[in-house]
Amino acid sequence: MSKQRKYILLSLLPTLALLLAFTFYPFLQGVVMAFQNYVLFDLTNVQFIGLQNFETAFRDAKFLAALENSAYWVFVSLGLQFLIGLSLALVLRKPFRGRGIYQGFVFYSWALSGFLIGLIWKWMFNSQIGVINDLLMRTGLIETRIGFLSDPKWAMTSVIVANVWYGVAFFAIMLLAALQSVPADLYEAADMDGAGGLRKFFNVTFPYILPTVIATTLLRAIWIFNDPSIIYGLTNGGPAGTTHILSSLMLEKIIYGGDYGMASAIGVIMILILMLYTVFYLLATKSEKAGDF
């Protein structure tokens, strides 16, 4: 080895050591625990039980409900975040008076943590002192206060509203950056061909920003699927588990039951779902051709 290569290797060793200690080792340990009867309050009885944790999970109605909720949570949240974020990016792309202030308001939510956002919206949705119930009653849209977080009919919708408000900023930031990189001469050529606004969007703008759309939707779907912070801050999975997704159910198994084996099994299932989703999504969107004209 040359001195330069040895120096590079030695420089990488601290980073590799941290990755092994805080990423790869916990991941491998979690996979092992998924096949064990690992309960925090009964550590003397830890043993390998094969696929029993996975069988128990798929026979559990609470797990199946959380699995269904996860799909609904990701699909609706992602769709609304993308559409609203793209609309805001298209508006903010053109200069106008006070654009910087509007951008600050739009991007503000992304600076907050998910758990803090959950707490903020929890107060807003409060059935007694919440501002949302107050506004709805003042405008005459409702006559009695709604228990947004205590009523199973409203709970999932409420947490999705909070999640959409949180994630819109991410799409607005990323798509605005992509829109500002579209060459002006492409629009000039489209104008010379007599293209209207919609035709320019679908034939020029959208194909050009498609790589960003693919990357952002893929990443955001993974983040939404994995992140239980908003649900944990708003409802903690309630009422009666109706807002649990897989990641929040996994936290419940650890915090309230100390069942690291079952929680790890749920984590492994989540990893497998995300792997299948990623492969299917990239194949369906033909990402290797994204951006070609």
Side-chain angles (χ1 to χ4, degrees):
M1 270 191 173
S2 66
K3 290 184 178 181
Q4 186 178 12
R5 289 183 178 179
K6 287 181 180 179
Y7 176 76
I8 293 173
L9 180 60
L10 290 173
S11 299
L12 291 175
L13 282 178
T15 302
L16 292 175
L18 290 174
L19 286 173
L20 288 172
F22 296 105
T23 301
F24 294 109
Y25 174 75
F27 169 74
L28 294 175
Q29 183 65 22
V31 173
V32 171
M33 290 167 60
F35 298 92
Q36 291 180 324
N37 178 34
Y38 199 109
V39 180
L40 188 61
F41 308 113
D42 190 17
L43 293 178
T44 59
N45 192 33
V46 175
Q47 56 185 332
F48 283 93
I49 56 175
L51 298 174
Q52 185 175 325
N53 283 326
F54 298 93
E55 293 174 1
T56 303
F58 282 102
R59 290 175 182 172
D60 184 5
K62 198 170 186 179
F63 171 83
L64 296 176
L67 184 61
E68 183 180 348
N69 285 345
S70 296
Y72 181 73
W73 161 259
V74 172
F75 180 78
V76 177
S77 296
L78 182 67
L80 291 176
Q81 287 177 13
F82 172 73
L83 291 176
I84 299 173
L86 176 60
S87 301
L88 288 172
L90 290 170
V91 171
L92 294 173
R93 178 181 56 171
K94 298 179 180 180
F96 57 87
R97 183 182 297 274
R99 184 175 67 163
I101 298 175
Y102 284 104
Q103 286 179 338
F105 280 119
V106 171
F107 301 157
Y108 165 74
S109 63
W110 197 243
L112 302 176
S113 70
F115 184 74
L116 178 59
I117 288 172
L119 293 179
I120 293 172
W121 281 88
K122 187 174 184 177
W123 284 104
M124 292 173 65
F125 279 127
N126 188 281
S127 58
Q128 300 301 319
I129 59 174
V131 65
I132 294 177
N133 265 302
D134 184 62
L135 289 174
L136 291 175
M137 292 194 70
R138 287 176 183 273
T139 54
L141 295 176
I142 60 173
E143 296 181 356
T144 57
R145 295 181 178 272
I146 299 174
F148 287 105
L149 303 179
S150 59
D151 189 341
K153 294 186 298 183
W154 288 97
M156 182 54 84
T157 301
S158 301
V159 295
I160 286 176
V161 168
N163 192 38
V164 169
W165 181 80
Y166 175 45
V168 159
F170 170 75
F171 281 107
I173 294 169
M174 300 301 292
L175 296 178
L176 177 60
L179 288 170
Q180 290 175 338
S181 68
V182 180
D185 54 356
L186 292 179
Y187 292 115
E188 293 173 1
D191 289 332
M192 293 178 63
D193 291 337
L198 284 176
R199 190 175 173 186
K200 283 193 288 187
F201 175 77
F202 287 107
N203 291 344
V204 177
T205 304
F206 194 76
Y208 198 89
I209 67 171
L210 185 57
T212 303
V213 171
I214 292 173
T216 52
T217 51
L218 175 62
L219 288 173
R220 190 67 190 130
I222 294 172
W223 293 343
I224 293 172
F225 185 79
N226 280 329
D227 187 11
S229 57
I230 289 180
I231 287 179
Y232 203 76
L234 267 169
T235 64
N236 199 15
T242 54
T243 59
H244 262 316
I245 59 175
L246 291 180
S247 56
S248 63
L249 181 62
M250 181 174 64
L251 277 181
E252 182 183 85
K253 296 292 184 183
I254 294 173
I255 295 173
Y256 298 106
D259 194 345
Y260 282 78
M262 180 59 70
S264 298
I266 295 174
V268 170
I269 293 170
M270 291 173 62
I271 291 172
L272 294 174
I273 291 173
L274 289 176
M275 288 175 63
L276 290 173
Y277 161 75
T278 302
V279 171
F280 173 78
Y281 182 82
L282 293 178
L283 290 175
T285 55
K286 298 180 180 179
S287 60
E288 71 278 1
K289 297 181 180 178
D292 292 344
F293 293 96

